């Protein structure tokens, strides 16, 4: 490749410009309500207890400063990806996410849901209000995505083709309902769901590559994938690289900003050093996400 990887956040705009891109589309960014965000960051502050390794949050900044960081990096579009950990939270999170998106045109209006009796109602309300992406966190929510309470929700999202970013792999912590089996069962019922498998399904990479190869609308996001931090904990088998290369049009950039334990530039450098070529990088960093969300330069 003739373009060199970014060496710092300040160098990121040089990187995407030399790739001939208008910027970046990042499908895995979080902006949560203040009290929820504080609890998330406290969880990461105790990461050695949870994960056995420190997880310093690089961008634990006020909201406006975080927005400024993304703007300086050239991230042209990103979601806020709220997610509940218990019943009764999702509708409120959706209202907060809608208000945030209304204030910031670069934000992809996000929403979420949980297996509860009124899920279909508030998901329909979110769609009517303009939600463009939903977030589901199987490990944190501790629920089976095949729960009958979600049957109508999944059917509606399949019909609309609305992307759903779903954390369903067993990393960094295994949950009762994580792993490829529940997702295979869900896709067997709803084969045209537009799922975006977060973190490339780590650590069950091969099994989630299987699902992306089998189902037309299943995508994979790169969140924390191939970074030094993740490679120490959940390394990717380089024998799988040809399959990842072949899925070029179904892989989208994700970062997990702001709760990442390294600079944003490192995620891009980690993808660059996979040596899958500049066309693959252009597709992942801009074209696939722009197509998925209708983003124009």
């Amino acid at each position: 490749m003739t373009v060199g990887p970014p060496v710092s956040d300040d160098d990121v705009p040089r990187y995407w410009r030399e790739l001939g891109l208008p910027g970046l589309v990042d499908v895995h960014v979080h902006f949560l309500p203040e009290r929820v965000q504080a609890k998330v960051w406290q969880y990461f502050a105790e990461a050695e207890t949870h994960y056995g390794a420190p997880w310093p949050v690089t961008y634990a900044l006020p909201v406006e400063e975080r927005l400024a960081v993304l703007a300086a990096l050239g991230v042209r579009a990103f979601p806020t990806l709220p997610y509940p950990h218990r019943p009764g939270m999702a509708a409120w999170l959706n209202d907060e996410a809608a208000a945030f998106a209304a204030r910031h045109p670069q934000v992809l209006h996000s929403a979420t849901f949980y297996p509860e009796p009124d899920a279909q109602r508030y998901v329909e309300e979110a769609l009517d209000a303009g939600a463009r992406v939903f977030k589901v966190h199987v490990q944190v929510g501790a629920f089976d995505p095949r729960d009958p309470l979600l049957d109508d929700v999944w059917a509606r999202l399949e019909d609309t083709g609305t992307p759903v970013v779903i954390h369903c792999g067993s990393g960094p912590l295994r949950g009762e309902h994580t792993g490829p089996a529940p997702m295979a069962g869900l896709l067997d019922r709803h084969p045209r769901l537009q799922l975006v498998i977060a973190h490339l399904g780590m650590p069950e990479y091969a099994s989630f590559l299987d699902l992306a190869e089998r189902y037309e609308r299943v995508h994979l996001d790169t969140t924390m994938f191939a970074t030094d931090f993740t490679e120490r904990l959940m390394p990717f088998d380089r024998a799988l690289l040809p399959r990842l290369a072949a899925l070029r049009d179904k892989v989208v950039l994700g970062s997990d900003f702001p709760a990442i334990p390294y600079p944003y530039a490192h995620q891009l450098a980690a993808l660059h050093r996979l040596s899958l070529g500049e066309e693959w990088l252009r597709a992942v960093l801009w074209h696939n996400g722009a197509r998925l969300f209708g983003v124009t330069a």
Side-chain angles (χ1 to χ4, degrees), residues 90-297:
W92 168 72
L93 288 170
N94 291 349
D95 290 343
E96 293 287 310
F100 190 87
R103 296 193 299 270
H104 304 289
Q106 72 274 42
V107 170
L108 301 169
H109 179 172
S110 305
T112 189
F113 52 88
Y114 193 87
E116 52 194 337
D118 61 342
Q120 183 183 9
R121 175 191 58 76
Y122 62 67
V123 165
E124 196 65 49
E125 289 175 353
L127 288 169
D128 289 344
R132 299 168 69 183
V133 57
F134 283 76
K135 165 70 176 190
V136 172
H137 203 309
V138 172
Q139 184 259 318
V140 170
F143 63 85
D144 191 324
R146 299 165 296 184
D147 190 307
L149 287 168
L150 294 177
D151 285 347
D152 291 337
V153 169
W154 289 122
R156 179 64 173 142
L157 294 174
E158 183 179 32
D159 287 344
T160 61
T162 308
V164 181
V165 176
I166 183 163
H167 185 138
C168 50
S170 300
L173 292 175
R174 183 175 300 276
E176 182 181 356
H177 304 292
T178 61
M183 300 312 300
L186 177 64
L187 286 161
D188 187 55
R189 298 180 189 174
H190 302 285
R192 289 187 54 76
L193 275 172
Q194 192 110 253
L195 297 184
V196 180
I197 307 298
H199 303 274
L200 225 96
M202 67 176 65
E204 296 108 341
Y205 300 110
S207 294
F208 284 105
L209 287 169
D210 289 344
L211 294 180
E213 290 164 345
R214 179 178 176 186
Y215 292 97
E216 177 188 358
R217 288 179 162 184
V218 172
H219 294 70
L220 305 164
D221 88 27
T222 67
T223 303
M224 300 188 75
F225 171 65
T227 60
D228 293 346
F229 181 87
T230 299
E231 284 295 288
R232 287 192 295 270
L233 299 173
M234 293 163 285
F236 180 74
D237 182 356
R238 287 329 195 237
L240 297 173
L241 280 175
R243 296 174 64 188
L244 187 62
L247 287 167
R248 180 185 73 184
D249 295 333
K250 304 185 80 176
V251 181
V252 289
L253 174 65
S255 68
D256 232 351
F257 179 94
I260 46 178
Y262 42 74
Y264 192 98
H266 178 59
Q267 177 68 83
L268 304 181
L271 297 176
H272 185 99
R273 70 189 180 192
L274 295 172
S275 299
L276 296 180
E278 291 179 6
E279 285 302 314
W280 188 88
L281 288 167
R282 280 188 276 270
V284 171
L285 302 185
W286 176 268
H287 294 298
N288 297 342
R291 181 181 65 251
L292 194 60
F293 293 105
V295 176
T296 56

